[in-house]
Each structure stands twice: as structure tokens, then as C-alpha cells.
Amino acid sequence: MSSSPVSTSLPAQPYGRPPLRTVQVLGGGAGAGSSAHVRSLATGLAARGVRVTVCAPVHAEGEYDFTGAGAQFAPDAVSVLRAACAGADLVHAHGVRAGMRAALAMRGRRVPLVVSWHGDGPTAAGALGRLSRALERHVARAAAVVLGASSDQVDLARLRGARDARLAPVAVPTGPADTGAAADPGKVRAELGAVERPLLIAVGSLVPHRGYSVLLDAAQEWRGLDPMPLLVIAGEGPLRAELSRRIEAEGLPVRLLGRRRDAAQLLAAADLAVLPSRWEARALLAQEALRAGVPLVATTVGGVPELVGEGAVLVPPGEAGALASAVTGLLADPDRRAALAAAGRAQAATWPSEDDTVAQVLSVYDELMERTRR
């Protein structure tokens, strides 16, 4: 989704001081939320006179147009990242894996490293879990400041040894659905085959922690409703074949849409949004649903309760019955849906704007630059 320009209310670099040179590092596994955040951040920083280089996979540049935001783009090859960091005053990595790559590229240089923990997922068990925890410890201790997207991320960073961990909620970028450029909801519903039936939507990569297997379990119970709801899932990932087999074998009213650039328009046309995740930090779907006034059913995991407040129906993770009951209850109660939509918009109004997010990040940069000048 495209990002709107960020306000330039703050002044550029102080008189006589050279422009701050930053490198924003995105790893290959970066999700839509962190990629959109870097695009928004690059826009705001560049507007304030900061020189921004974004090191990211080539496909991310094609989708998020970092150069169009005023940044210089560099592929995330090791040698390119090392060269970019060599010319930077400050490096900001987004995600633990990106933080590790940045720390290695900066080895031997006295340049501040900021790491945003957007949420890399729950720690696995066994040897893989031990490796993940070791990675988190190394990155937490290498960073001058860790910025957590939710309170649980801040707590985790401190547990892993971060010297300085702060809450830094990430604003969801403004997209076409917020500027009046959205497609006609009736047309969208017709294209999806949901003209005279409820439309439910889930958005996110098809990976285990998204909880889509539980969502399909819940969809079995919706088959008895009249009219039968249609669930569409926008996203791509390694579980596509497994989910497709289940949908076909069990005759579930579910469509896998693959990766979509029009997720905001799909969401605006839906009756309900569903977030069945086993773990989330500051879920992009939750932010977009509440801001658009689309009733949301989500799980009580990670930073979700803190994010949505009273603006969503929350159910325990992994419980298909509770998820199905929450959805069917809302579909049968239009007044409650309307009240929930209003509560969601009110909750969204309390979140920081893109301008607020950029200003907070820039204040951290300025603080770190002052430390280095002492």
C-alpha cells in the first residue's frame, strides 16, 4: 500500500551542521508492516533534510518505492550493506535478523545502531529456539537503542540484555482507502462472489504463527449459516498448498487470494476482519481494520490487546470454537457491529500519526548524535 507524504513541520538540519546520514536496513523476511514503516520513515526523514539509504531486497524497492520517498536504494547484499554502513552516521535496522546483519556490517566502527523490533515471531523450541534467543541477545546488546513496537517487545528486549529499550509504536501508513481513492465496495464484493452473503477477510503471510489452520477449523462451523459467509485470505507463503488441500477436501467457504496490492480496498468491502494469529506485535491488519471502521475479531496475543483496547472482540489463541462463536455472534448483530466499528475508530484516533512516529525516531537519532559528539 502506498504511503502519503509526511508533514514537514519540523526544521531541517541545524544551520552549519552537515546532514545526518542514515542507513535503514530491512531483512529478506521483512513483513508488509515493517516495509511500509520504512517507506513512511524514509519519506519523513528525507523531508527533514536527513540523507537516507535503504538497504533491502530488490523486490521491496519494486513494491515500496523507497527512492520515490526521497531515499537512495541499495540491494541488501553483504558487501553493499557494509559499504553503505561505512558512510553512515547512524544505522537503523528493522527486525532482529536485519539487526544481526547490520551489526556484522558495522563491526569495528563506532556508529550508533538502532534496532526496531517489529516482531519477528515467537521463539521456537529446541535447538532452533536456543539459536533464536542467542540471536536476540546479540542484537539487543549490540544496539545503542532498541525500539519496541509494543510493550511486550520492549520487555523482551530488556530480558535479552538491551541497554536502552523504549516503546515506539509504529503508525500504519495512510493508503488509498483513507484518501477517498478506494474501489467501490459493491464491485469488490461482486468480484469476490460475496454479493448476497457476508464477507470475512484475513490478511497476512501464510505461515504457521498466523493461525490459519485454526481459522479453517472455525470456518467449518460457518457452513451452517444462511447465507453462508465467504472468507477470503490475502497473503502468500509456504502453507498455501496445505491450506488449499484442506479447503478443497472439506468444502470450506474460503478463498486464498494470494498476495494482493489492494488489501485496503478488500478490507473496506468486508463485513468483518479476522486476525487468528498465535502471536503478533502491532498487527497491520488490526490497525487498518479499526481505522477503516471494519469490526475485528482477534486473538489475545502479543501486543494486540494493548493496540485495540475496546475496539475489537478478543478470543484466546488456538480456540476455533471461540473464534467461530465470536464471528457468528457479530454477523447476527448489526447493532453490535456498528458499535464496534465506532469503538475501533475511536481507538485508532489515539494512535500516533506518521508524523508523530517520524518525530520520535528523529529525536532518538538526535540524542545518539549528541552522545557521539561528547
Side-chain angles (χ1 to χ4, degrees):
M1 300 176 203
S2 63
S3 174
S4 66
V6 182
S7 167
T8 58
S9 56
L10 292 183
Q13 296 296 317
Y15 179 77
R17 183 176 296 173
L20 178 66
R21 300 168 299 174
T22 73
V23 175
Q24 308 291 322
V25 184
L26 271 170
S34 54
S35 298
H37 171 56
V38 170
R39 209 283 180 181
S40 173
L41 192 58
T43 302
L45 292 175
R48 289 161 170 80
V50 177
R51 292 182 181 174
V52 181
T53 298
V54 176
C55 283
V58 173
H59 70 81
E61 165 64 9
E63 183 166 358
Y64 292 94
D65 187 22
F66 301 116
T67 54
Q72 180 179 348
F73 174 75
D76 63 343
V78 174
S79 59
V80 177
L81 176 59
R82 187 178 295 115
C85 291
D89 299 308
L90 181 145
V91 177
H92 188 165
H94 298 267
V96 174
R97 293 173 180 82
M100 186 65 183
R101 288 171 57 84
L104 292 174
M106 297 165 60
R107 182 174 292 174
R109 301 197 67 241
R110 296 177 60 85
V111 172
L113 172 64
V114 177
V115 179
S116 286
W117 284 24
H118 299 291
D120 287 48
T123 302
L128 184 58
R130 290 191 293 272
L131 179 61
S132 295
R133 287 188 289 273
L135 176 65
E136 291 169 350
R137 284 194 296 270
H138 184 90
V139 172
R141 294 168 182 174
V145 176
V146 174
L147 301 177
S150 58
S151 295
D152 65 311
Q153 290 290 288
V154 175
D155 292 341
L156 177 61
R158 289 171 178 161
L159 180 65
R160 296 292 188 254
R163 293 169 285 169
D164 186 342
R166 311 178 190 182
L167 180 63
V170 174
V172 58
T174 301
D178 308 293
T179 59
D184 175 60
K187 182 178 179 181
V188 173
R189 294 176 71 97
E191 291 173 349
L192 294 173
V195 175
E196 298 182 354
R197 60 194 298 198
L199 178 63
L200 316 178
I201 185 169
V203 181
S205 53
L206 307 183
V207 294
H209 87 265
R210 295 292 184 190
Y212 289 137
S213 59
V214 175
L215 184 57
L216 296 192
D217 291 340
Q220 291 179 336
E221 301 189 30
W222 302 334
R223 290 182 299 183
L225 299 180
D226 185 18
M228 185 191 307
L230 172 65
L231 168 66
V232 296
I233 301 175
E236 194 54 83
L239 293 184
R240 168 176 270 277
E242 177 183 327
L243 296 174
S244 295
R245 285 194 295 269
R246 276 201 62 186
I247 292 168
E248 183 177 358
E250 299 172 25
L252 300 176
V254 180
R255 287 185 58 188
L256 301 181
L257 303 181
R259 188 172 179 83
R260 299 287 293 248
R261 292 179 178 269
D262 60 345
Q265 287 81 3
L266 298 177
L267 178 63
D271 296 289
L272 290 178
V274 189
L275 184 70
S277 303
R278 300 176 186 173
W279 186 89
E280 291 283 353
R282 191 174 175 88
L284 183 60
L285 173 62
Q287 294 181 73
E288 293 181 331
L290 267 62
R291 198 171 64 178
V294 178
L296 172 70
V297 176
T299 47
T300 54
V301 297
V304 173
E306 175 185 41
L307 174 67
V308 303
E310 300 297 320
V313 173
L314 298 178
V315 299
E319 296 190 13
L323 181 60
S325 295
V327 169
T328 54
L330 283 174
L331 290 177
D333 192 342
D335 291 339
R336 190 177 177 214
R337 292 202 306 275
L340 195 63
R345 288 193 176 99
Q347 177 70 9
T350 69
W351 298 336
S353 66
E354 287 184 81
D355 194 60
D356 295 333
T357 299
V358 173
Q360 181 183 14
V361 169
L362 188 56
S363 71
V364 172
Y365 291 177
D366 287 342
E367 178 185 332
L368 292 175
M369 288 298 94
E370 285 300 320
R371 290 184 197 174
T372 63
R373 295 186 188 104
R374 291 172 187 170

